[in-house]
Amino acid sequence: MRRVPHGHFRLALEYSVMHSRRFACLLLGIWFAGGAFLQWISMENYRAVDRLLDQPNPAASLQFKALGPTATRLVLRYQVAEQNRFYFEAWETLQLMLGSFFFFFLLFGTREDKFSLLMALLMLVAVAVQRFYLTPEITSFGRILDFVPADVYVPGRRRLPIVQSAYAGVELTKLGLGILLAVWMIVGRGRRRSGRDVRQELDLINKANYGHVDR
């Protein structure tokens, strides 16, 4: 029987490495896109309140007049705030699942190095900090302040902006880690290391006696 050319092994290995890296980059892209979409949705929800009050339905205008402009805005913004809170908690839970799958895919399904795994793990830790520490505090303080006038002091008014800034900082850190990881996988050391791994496996194939391949 004719021996299988070693070049076929090389092509198969290179295709496997390339395919797994592309899928990992796709997962990162989905992660980025989901976060950007949620940020856009949350801002649009608040803008919708202003648009609704500027051009309300005639039937709604009668209800708004009964409440008064200030109370109407508070009620509508409260509804939006609750909706956004639900969206962020759901997205963070989804990120935990997506991030866990991404990390274990890098660990078991690719040839990425320890640096790539560390970046993925740090992104997952950032999501956990948001979901289990920062978001509950933001939600708790936000609900306290939803119907409190801006000029009235209540506990938590000064802390809420601090926690929100911390959340934004963690989000930017997570984004930076993701971008660094994407660049590393595409053009960085991880790619070169994968090439070395392929060559090492090819050397083992060339040195070994694979007579059973012909049968």
Side-chain angles (χ1 to χ4, degrees), residues 110-196:
T110 72
R111 299 177 183 277
E112 298 300 326
D113 58 6
K114 293 180 180 180
F115 181 81
S116 300
L117 295 174
L118 177 62
M119 294 297 99
L121 182 60
L122 289 176
M123 291 178 67
L124 188 58
V125 170
V127 177
V129 170
Q130 290 176 317
R131 178 65 185 88
F132 298 113
Y133 177 67
L134 296 176
T135 293
E137 288 217 17
I138 292 173
T139 298
S140 177
F141 290 133
R143 285 174 175 163
I144 293 174
L145 300 172
D146 277 336
F147 290 97
V148 177
D151 56 348
V152 176
Y153 173 78
V154 294
R157 185 175 293 281
R158 293 180 180 177
R159 181 169 174 77
L160 179 59
I162 297 175
V163 180
Q164 288 174 328
S165 298
Y167 187 98
V170 173
E171 187 69 20
L172 289 175
T173 300
K174 182 177 63 181
L175 177 62
L177 290 171
I179 293 174
L180 178 61
L181 175 57
V183 173
W184 185 265
M185 288 192 299
I186 295 172
V187 298
R189 180 182 173 184
R191 185 174 184 177
R192 295 194 296 271
R193 186 168 186 259
S194 295
R196 290 198 299 271

Side-chain angles (χ1 to χ4, degrees), residues 60-96:
S61 297
L62 297 176
Q63 303 298 323
F64 294 164
K65 287 181 180 179
L67 285 174
T70 301
T72 298
R73 183 175 294 275
L74 284 175
V75 170
L76 292 177
R77 289 181 68 86
Y78 169 72
Q79 190 275 333
V80 167
E82 282 295 311
Q83 192 173 28
N84 285 345
R85 288 163 190 153
F86 171 78
Y87 287 159
F88 273 95
E89 289 181 4
W91 169 237
E92 287 158 7
T93 301
L94 182 59
Q95 284 186 89
L96 288 174

Side-chain angles (χ1 to χ4, degrees), residues 8-26 102 105-106 108-113 116 182 184-202:
H8 290 182
F9 287 103
R10 180 183 180 86
L11 289 176
L13 288 171
E14 288 180 345
Y15 177 78
S16 176
V17 171
M18 182 171 55
H19 179 72
S20 61
R21 183 174 291 115
R22 286 177 177 175
F23 184 68
C25 290
L26 175 63
F102 178 69
F105 176 75
L106 289 183
F108 297 111
T110 72
R111 299 177 183 277
E112 298 300 326
D113 58 6
S116 300
W184 185 265
M185 288 192 299
I186 295 172
V187 298
R189 180 182 173 184
R191 185 174 184 177
R192 295 194 296 271
R193 186 168 186 259
S194 295
R196 290 198 299 271
D197 290 340
V198 171
R199 286 193 294 272
Q200 289 172 359
E201 292 197 18
L202 288 173

Side-chain angles (χ1 to χ4, degrees), residues 24-46:
C25 290
L26 175 63
L27 291 176
L28 269 180
I30 293 173
W31 199 340
F32 293 159
F37 180 71
L38 184 64
Q39 293 294 334
W40 178 77
I41 285 293
S42 65
M43 291 187 294
E44 281 300 308
N45 284 342
Y46 281 109

